Amino acid sequence: MSEFLWTFVLCIYIHYGLSAGFPQQPRDTTIRNCSISPPYIPPTAKISTEDLNKLRQEMRNSNISAYIIPPTDPHLGEYIADPEKRRQWLTGFTGSSGSALVTLDRAAVFTDSRYWTQAERQMDCNWELQKTLSASNIVSWILEELKDGDKIGFDPFLWSIDEWESFNNLLEDSGRILLSIPNNLVDVVWGSQRPPLPNNEVYSIPNEFVGSTWQEKVTNIRNQMSQHSQKPTAVLLSALEESAWLFNLRGQDIPYNPFFYSYSLLTTDSISLFVNVSRISSQVRGYLTSNCPGTCVQILEYEKVRETVVEYVRGNVKIWIGSKYTNYGVYEIIPKSKLVAEEYSPVMRTKAVKTEKEQQLLKNCHIRDAVAVIEYLAWLEKTVPTDTVTEDSGAEYVDERRSKQAYFKGPSFGTISAGGLNAALPHYRATNETNRKLSVREMYLVDSGGQYFDGTTDITRTVHWGKPTDFEKEAYTRVLMGNIELSRLVFPPRTSGRVIECIARQALWEVGLNFGHGTGHGIGNFFAVHEWPVGFQSSNIGMTVGMFTSIEPGYYHDGYFGIRIEDIAVVVEANTKHTFGGEKYLTFETVTLVPYHRSLIDTSIMTDVQIEYVDKLYEKIRRIMGPELKKQNLNEEYKWLEKNTEPLSHGTFITASLGVLTVTVITNVFLQQASV
C-alpha cells in the first residue's frame, strides 16, 4: 500500500475513532471547564455572578472603569484575619498570593504557578486566570481594556508604598488614572455577610517574659528620633508587630501571630495607640495610663488614625515611617516635605536585636520546644512501620506534644508534614486529596513551630526510616553541609545576610544542585515566625550580636522527595586571633537542640571540620536536653536521644582503628615469619 493511502486510511481511522469514542483520558472533574457549553463548574468553586454585578454597580457609582483587589490587609503582614480576605470572598480563590482585577465587563485573577490548579478548582467562569504576578503584565492587561481618561480604583489602605509607585510609574503618560478610594467597594458589596472584626481582648505580657518595659522602649525610640539627622518629631507605626512590641501587648487577631489590629503615633511629647477601644480592658488601660500626665498612652479608635495624622501634619513636624510596612492610605496624606521615609522604622530595627534577657528567654523556649520535636521523632520511628500514620495525623501529633509544654500559646504556622513526593513542594500543606500515609520506604519532611510566652520556634527535620538511596543520602548530607558551613561562618560585623547566604549552597552547587527558596529569616520573642528585617535576603539589614535567624538550606527533587534542615541561631561574637578595625567579628550559635537524621548522613563526603562541628553540637544537645527529658519523665525519649547523638566520628574512628589494628597484626606476623 502506498504511503499516501496509508496516511488517508489512518486519517479516516482517527476521525472515526474519535467520533465513535475511543477511550479517552478521564476528564478532571476537580477543575472548571469554561470551553464547553454550558461551562463545567466544580462544586469547590464559588458562584460569583451576583457579587460581581453588585461590585460593578458600585464601580459605576464611583465613576471608575476598573477596580483592583489585592490579597492584603492594611498592615501588609504575612497572615490576615477573615474580614480582610476580600479577594478570597469575591473570587473563591484562597491562595495567599495574587490580586483580582475587575472591569465593567471582564474579571481576572493574577497569580503565580503555585496556585494555578487551585484557582481553577475554586473560581467560576466569570474569572480569567492570568498566570503572572508582574505589575507590568497587570498594567498591560489594563491598558488593553481601558481607554484614555478611564479611572482605575484601589483601596489605598491595602497597597504598600512600593506597589503604588510601581503601578503609578507604569501608568504614567498612559492617559489612565489611578484613583485612591478609601471606602473599600468590596466591603460595601460584602455587607452584613462580612465576618465581624476580631474582638478578643488585648492583653499585656507577664513581666517575667518582657525584655524592657514599654516606657523604656518609648525612651529608646525618642532618643533615636533626637539623634536622627532629619530630627523627626514623630514615628508612625503601621506593622502590627511594631505596636505589640512597643507596648508589650499581644492579641489574637491574626492566625498564628499574637497581634491585634492597631497603629501607633509616637511623638516627642505624646503617644497615641489606635485600636478598637472596646477591646481594651480596665487592666490594660491602667497599664498604659498609670503614668499620666507624664509618659502615658492616649487610646483612640482604630479608624481615627488617618484624621489624626492629617491634623498632626498641619504643624511644623516631620513623621518618620518604615516604608516597607506603611500602607499608601496613611502615606498619601503626609506632605513629602514633612516625611522621613526609611525602609524599616526604628522600632523594627530595635526589635531585631534581642536584649540579653530576651536572648535567654528564646533559648529557654527552644529547649522545651525540642522536647516536643524529640517526642515526635521518637514516636514516628516506632509508629510509622505500623502503617497507621498520615501526614495529617503526624502534624496533629507534633502540635499536640507542643501543647503540653509550659507557656505554649499555639503553633507558629501551619505544620508542613510531607511524605515522599509531597515533600518536593517546599510550602506543601496536606489536603483531603493529597494526604498520604507515611512509609518507611520514603523520605519525610516536617517543618513546624510553636508560639510560647517567651519565644517563637521554627524547626525542620527530614528523616527516612528505611534504606535511603545513595542519591538521597548525598543530597541530604550536602544540605547538612550547607547548614554547617553557614552556621560556623565567621564574618565582619554588620555583614548583610545576602552576602553570605551562598555559603549554605556551596556543597550543593559543587554537584549541580540548588534550592529555590530563601536561606533564612528572623524570628522573635512571641512574635511572627518570619520576623523582618533579619535574614539572608537582599532587603535584610546587617547582622548584629543578638539577632536570631533561621538557617535552612534544602533540596527538592520533583516527583520524588524533598529535604530541608532548619535550625535557629543567634548572632554572637566570634573568638578570632585578630580584630581587624578593632571590632569583634561575628558568628552563629545554634539554639535548636534536635539531632539530625543519622541514617541519611554520609560522612565520607564531609570534612573533618564538619564532622567535628556536629559532634560538638551533639555534646551540647546531650548536655542540655538529657536532663530536661529526664525532668519530664520521658525515659524512652531520653534513650532515643542518647542513640541519635552518638558522635559521627565514632564510626570513622572505629574504622580507622580497625585499619591500624589490621596493619599492625599483618606487620607483626610478617616480622615473626621473617625472623624464623
Side-chain angles (χ1 to χ4, degrees):
M1 188 181 294
S2 71
E3 182 178 345
F4 171 79
L5 191 56
W6 266 118
T7 304
F8 176 76
V9 171
L10 181 61
C11 289
I12 295 295
Y13 185 65
I14 291 174
H15 174 77
Y16 176 79
L18 290 174
S19 62
F22 268 160
Q24 306 271 326
Q25 283 288 95
R27 184 170 58 83
D28 185 352
T29 58
T30 68
I31 65 173
R32 63 183 184 167
N33 186 346
C34 300
S35 64
I36 60 176
S37 184
Y40 171 74
I41 308 298
T44 51
K46 171 178 173 169
I47 306 303
S48 64
T49 305
E50 183 179 352
D51 295 325
L52 262 177
N53 289 338
K54 290 180 179 178
L55 177 61
R56 285 174 172 139
Q57 185 56 52
E58 293 299 327
M59 291 165 58
R60 294 185 186 96
N61 295 343
S62 299
N63 193 29
I64 60 174
S65 301
Y67 192 61
I68 302 175
I69 306 116
T72 54
D73 71 4
H75 305 279
L76 310 176
E78 184 177 1
Y79 296 94
I80 62 175
D82 288 342
E84 302 290 344
K85 296 177 180 177
R86 297 173 178 88
R87 188 222 58 204
Q88 175 177 322
W89 172 78
L90 184 65
T91 67
F93 169 53
T94 61
S96 63
S97 178
S99 294
L101 202 159
V102 179
T103 69
L104 295 177
D105 52 15
R106 290 178 71 185
V109 165
F110 296 77
T111 191
D112 63 74
S113 59
R114 293 174 297 167
Y115 300 109
W116 292 344
T117 300
Q118 180 178 337
E120 298 283 13
R121 289 171 175 165
Q122 295 180 322
M123 300 191 306
D124 65 13
C125 290
N126 286 310
W127 298 94
E128 303 168 22
L129 176 60
Q130 298 292 325
K131 298 180 177 182
T132 177
L133 272 177
S134 162
S136 61
N137 289 337
I138 296 174
V139 169
S140 295
W141 192 90
I142 291 172
L143 294 178
E144 289 177 3
E145 288 301 302
L146 304 189
K147 62 182 184 299
D148 190 33
D150 282 348
K151 297 174 183 176
I152 305 151
F154 70 99
D155 181 342
F157 288 99
L158 303 184
W159 277 32
S160 68
I161 298 169
D162 286 347
E163 187 172 21
W164 177 83
E165 288 179 343
S166 177
F167 274 81
N168 191 57
N169 291 338
L170 289 165
L171 287 165
E172 192 174 16
D173 301 327
S174 72
R176 284 74 167 178
I177 302 162
L178 203 54
L179 181 65
S180 169
I181 304 177
N183 185 33
N184 192 282
L185 301 187
V186 174
D187 289 353
V188 176
V189 176
W190 206 347
S192 60
Q193 297 178 52
R194 187 183 178 206
L197 292 169
N199 60 2
N200 296 311
E201 282 192 354
V202 176
Y203 60 94
S204 59
I205 295 291
N207 288 335
E208 60 265 37
F209 304 117
V210 170
S212 306
T213 68
W214 70 261
Q215 292 90 344
E216 290 169 338
K217 292 178 178 179
V218 165
T219 299
N220 182 324
I221 301 305
R222 282 177 170 162
N223 287 339
Q224 293 186 52
M225 291 163 60
S226 67
Q227 295 165 13
H228 196 285
S229 60
Q230 297 190 52
K231 302 300 181 189
T233 60
V235 176
L236 177 63
L237 305 178
S238 296
L240 296 184
E241 58 200 277
E242 293 179 314
S243 292
W245 177 86
L246 184 64
F247 300 116
N248 294 326
L249 296 175
R250 300 292 188 273
Q252 303 174 55
D253 295 3
I254 310 296
Y256 307 116
N257 295 270
F259 303 145
F260 55 97
Y261 280 108
S262 58
Y263 296 91
S264 293
L265 183 65
L266 171 62
T267 77
T268 52
D269 56 10
S270 68
I271 312 167
S272 299
L273 172 62
F274 302 89
V275 65
N276 182 349
V277 175
S278 66
R279 306 173 62 191
I280 303 299
S281 66
S282 57
Q283 183 270 329
V284 170
R285 184 178 292 275
Y287 164 79
L288 294 174
T289 60
S290 60
N291 288 337
C292 290
T295 304
C296 68
V297 181
Q298 183 182 18
I299 303 170
L300 301 173
E301 288 292 351
Y302 178 78
E303 294 79 9
K304 296 280 187 181
V305 62
R306 187 160 155 129
E307 65 183 73
T308 302
V309 173
V310 167
E311 182 65 30
Y312 181 75
V313 296
R314 287 178 178 152
N316 182 23
V317 299
K318 278 196 173 183
I319 298 183
W320 191 359
I321 66 167
S323 60
K324 194 80 172 177
Y325 289 99
T326 301
N327 65 60
Y328 186 72
V330 293
Y331 172 81
E332 68 176 344
I333 59 176
I334 305 173
K336 301 306 170 280
S337 62
K338 298 184 177 184
L339 187 69
V340 179
E342 297 177 356
E343 190 168 24
Y344 297 105
S345 76
V347 163
M348 291 293 275
R349 288 177 172 271
T350 305
K351 177 173 59 65
V353 181
K354 314 307 179 192
T355 66
E356 288 188 10
K357 181 178 178 181
E358 288 170 333
Q359 292 179 44
Q360 191 56 56
L361 287 169
L362 259 172
K363 290 178 181 180
N364 293 343
C365 162
H366 277 82
I367 292 172
R368 299 192 310 279
D369 194 74
V371 171
V373 178
I374 288 169
E375 283 187 276
Y376 180 52
L377 294 176
W379 176 79
L380 286 174
E381 190 174 290
K382 178 176 59 178
T383 312
V384 167
T386 67
D387 203 31
T388 58
V389 184
T390 67
E391 292 170 337
D392 267 344
S393 66
E396 290 170 3
Y397 190 87
V398 71
D399 289 344
E400 186 269 338
R401 297 324 300 164
R402 278 194 173 92
S403 71
K404 305 300 181 185
Q405 294 299 315
Y407 314 131
F408 180 75
K409 297 295 290 182
S412 57
F413 59 97
T415 296
I416 298 174
S417 174
L421 57 86
N422 286 340
L425 305 171
H427 304 290
Y428 168 79
R429 292 288 191 281
T431 65
N432 290 336
E433 294 80 20
T434 64
N435 186 27
R436 295 166 62 91
K437 277 189 177 180
L438 305 189
S439 168
V440 296
R441 296 178 297 277
E442 294 180 328
M443 280 211 191
Y444 171 66
L445 183 154
V446 57
D447 184 352
S448 65
Q451 292 283 14
Y452 304 83
F453 266 138
D454 48 352
T456 305
T457 67
D458 186 5
I459 174 176
T460 308
R461 288 295 181 264
T462 307
V463 297
H464 195 306
W465 303 282
K467 184 174 174 53
T469 66
D470 290 344
F471 178 58
E472 287 172 332
K473 289 184 68 172
E474 179 185 9
Y476 179 92
T477 305
R478 290 188 177 277
V479 171
L480 176 60
M481 290 160 67
N483 181 298
I484 293 168
E485 287 304 304
L486 184 53
S487 298
R488 60 180 292 272
L489 184 70
V490 176
F491 50 91
R494 296 175 299 282
T495 295
S496 174
R498 71 179 183 274
V499 175
I500 58 176
E501 75 93 32
C502 64
I503 300 296
R505 302 175 185 268
Q506 183 178 357
L508 291 163
W509 285 356
E510 285 175 349
V511 293
L513 303 178
N514 204 354
F515 57 94
H517 56 71
T519 300
H521 55 79
I523 197 162
N525 289 78
F526 193 23
F527 275 113
V529 73
H530 298 148
E531 186 180 66
W532 309 117
V534 178
F536 298 94
Q537 298 184 13
S538 59
S539 60
N540 294 142
I541 61 177
M543 295 287 182
T544 303
V545 169
M547 290 180 171
F548 281 73
T549 181
S550 70
I551 296 176
E552 49 180 301
Y555 173 70
Y556 307 90
H557 200 72
D558 190 34
Y560 291 93
F561 63 85
I563 300 163
R564 188 160 61 253
I565 300 173
E566 177 184 18
D567 293 323
I568 302 299
V570 59
V571 181
V572 297
E573 289 184 346
N575 183 20
T576 56
K577 182 179 179 180
H578 305 288
T579 52
F580 179 81
E583 290 187 283
K584 286 279 191 180
Y585 273 42
L586 307 178
T587 188
F588 297 106
E589 175 192 334
T590 299
V591 300
T592 300
L593 298 170
V594 178
Y596 310 118
H597 194 68
R598 195 171 200 81
S599 69
L600 281 167
I601 299 175
D602 180 1
T603 55
S604 70
I605 61 174
M606 297 173 68
T607 67
D608 291 343
V609 172
Q610 292 164 353
I611 292 171
E612 181 184 7
Y613 174 91
V614 175
D615 287 350
K616 286 184 176 179
L617 178 61
Y618 280 5
E619 287 177 12
K620 176 181 175 180
I621 292 174
R622 280 193 180 202
R623 184 177 71 255
I624 296 173
M625 295 309 303
E628 183 67 25
L629 291 169
K630 285 185 174 180
K631 186 176 78 173
Q632 296 193 29
N633 296 316
L634 296 170
N635 296 320
E636 188 174 336
E637 287 76 10
Y638 176 80
K639 292 177 181 176
W640 181 93
L641 181 74
E642 288 282 292
K643 180 182 71 173
N644 284 277
T645 53
E646 291 179 358
L648 294 186
S649 56
H650 183 64
T652 306
F653 290 156
I654 288 177
T655 303
S657 299
L658 286 174
V660 172
L661 178 62
T662 303
V663 171
T664 303
V665 169
I666 292 172
T667 303
N668 287 339
V669 169
F670 176 79
L671 290 174
Q672 288 174 5
Q673 290 178 345
S675 63
V676 173

